Amino acid sequence: MQVVATLSLKGGVGKTTVALGLAGAALRHNVSTLVVDLDPQANATTALDPEPTTATVADVLDDPRRPVVERAIARSAWGDGLDVLVGAEQTERHNHPDPGAAQLHRLDRALQRMAGELLADDEPAGDFPTDRYRLVIIDCPPSLGQLTRSALSAADRAILVTDPTMFSVSGVQRAFDAVQTERERSNDRLQPLGVLVNRVRPRNTEHDFRIAELRELFGPLVFNSVLPDRSAVQQAQGACLPIQAWDTPGAREISAVFTSLLGRVLRSTRTVPSA
């Protein structure tokens, strides 16, 4: 099970769009996937339109035992093989600015229990399918509190999402620093997968300048492929459909980027750096 977090410490850059696009690519390519909606706005949950649940990710962060996790997971309306650990406004109560270690690791423990890697004292192993998901995508809120740090404590890789504006450099730098800090503090398998630039307009001098600036500062960490600014994204999300199901030239262009991103995610491996 590969766990990837979509991260941005600057709001409005399309972080949830990237999480949904990656989930849609996984669905298209038959990669069993769970989307964990950690953002209290719960936009990913709304777009994926899951079946009703008796718990949410807020309850999982209260009590990360497997039965609670199971009650918070539902099948998405996008199709079989794509499930949602549903978000809720109540998740905000877990977004403390200075959480303790036990709080930070609740999501990681929940995912490990779901994968059969960790059992609580009162949980029998049973016949739970431990190979249920090949990929877990965590959609983080645009702030560095307990929720985002919980995602980084649980993730193998982080996708840093930005847009080509004057504030993009500082936003990417803060996100990169957050990944490095969490790696040193609590999760030595965490690595930045790369920087994905979203909402790029062709033949826009300002956008070209900001992308060049990002490449100069972060080098090969910035993906060669960028996501163009296309109305198809809003149209597909408004219809609660994956961008891969929206049949327009712009949608196909964006879908190709997400297919490439999915391949990069799946090629990355869970490794622990040597001391």
Side-chain angles (χ1 to χ4, degrees):
M1 184 174 74
Q2 185 80 339
V3 182
V4 59
T6 59
L7 172 68
S8 173
L9 301 184
K10 175 180 177 290
V13 302
K15 164 188 55 61
T16 299
T17 294
V18 171
L20 294 172
L22 184 59
L27 179 65
R28 175 64 60 91
H29 293 276
N30 298 312
V31 177
S32 56
T33 299
L34 175 70
V35 174
V36 179
D37 191 354
L38 270 191
D39 193 334
Q41 296 180 82
N43 290 332
T45 299
T46 299
L48 291 165
D49 193 20
E51 299 167 352
T53 61
T54 57
T56 70
V57 71
D59 300 297
V60 171
L61 295 175
D62 286 330
D63 181 0
R65 290 179 303 163
R66 198 170 64 193
V68 181
V69 179
E70 282 299 295
R71 290 195 297 111
I73 291 176
R75 177 182 179 272
S76 83
W78 287 12
D80 291 332
L82 178 58
D83 293 347
V84 190
L85 180 53
V86 301
E89 185 179 349
Q90 292 77 13
T91 311
E92 184 62 40
R93 71 173 180 259
H94 291 283
N95 207 16
H96 304 294
D98 190 23
Q103 293 170 303
L104 280 179
H105 286 92
R106 284 176 184 166
L107 179 62
D108 189 31
R109 291 201 304 274
L111 295 178
Q112 288 185 57
R113 286 169 178 160
M114 182 188 66
E117 298 173 5
L118 178 69
L119 293 175
D121 293 339
D122 58 348
E123 289 178 341
D127 298 321
F128 188 79
T130 57
D131 58 350
R132 184 171 174 181
Y133 302 112
R134 184 178 175 189
L135 177 64
V136 175
I137 303 167
I138 308 176
D139 187 30
C140 303
S143 62
L144 189 58
Q146 179 184 338
L147 294 174
T148 294
R149 290 187 59 196
S150 292
L152 295 178
S153 294
D156 303 301
R157 298 292 182 265
I159 299 170
L160 314 182
V161 184
T162 188
D163 59 6
T165 66
M166 65 176 294
F167 301 111
S168 60
V169 173
S170 60
V172 172
Q173 186 64 63
R174 287 188 295 117
F176 180 77
D177 290 346
V179 170
Q180 295 300 100
T181 298
E182 214 56 51
R183 179 185 177 190
E184 295 169 3
R185 284 178 175 173
S186 64
N187 181 7
D188 59 5
R189 71 178 187 270
L190 176 65
Q191 296 278 358
L193 186 71
V195 179
L196 182 59
V197 187
N198 188 27
R199 295 177 179 165
V200 176
R201 296 174 188 165
R203 297 178 297 280
N204 184 298
T205 304
E206 173 67 12
H207 286 195
D208 291 343
F209 175 81
R210 297 302 173 189
I211 293 171
E213 188 177 27
L214 285 167
R215 295 194 193 282
E216 180 179 351
L217 288 170
F218 298 102
L221 193 65
V222 181
F223 294 141
N224 290 327
S225 298
V226 300
L227 287 168
D229 188 10
R230 296 288 184 266
S231 60
V233 172
Q234 289 74 36
Q235 293 166 350
Q237 289 178 0
C240 292
L241 290 171
I243 190 68
Q244 290 78 9
W246 204 255
D247 191 20
T248 66
R252 290 192 289 273
E253 183 182 10
I254 292 171
S255 295
V257 176
F258 283 126
T259 295
S260 175
L261 179 63
L262 176 66
R264 188 157 180 169
V265 169
L266 296 179
R267 285 192 299 272
S268 65
T269 57
R270 297 181 65 165
T271 57
V272 177
S274 58

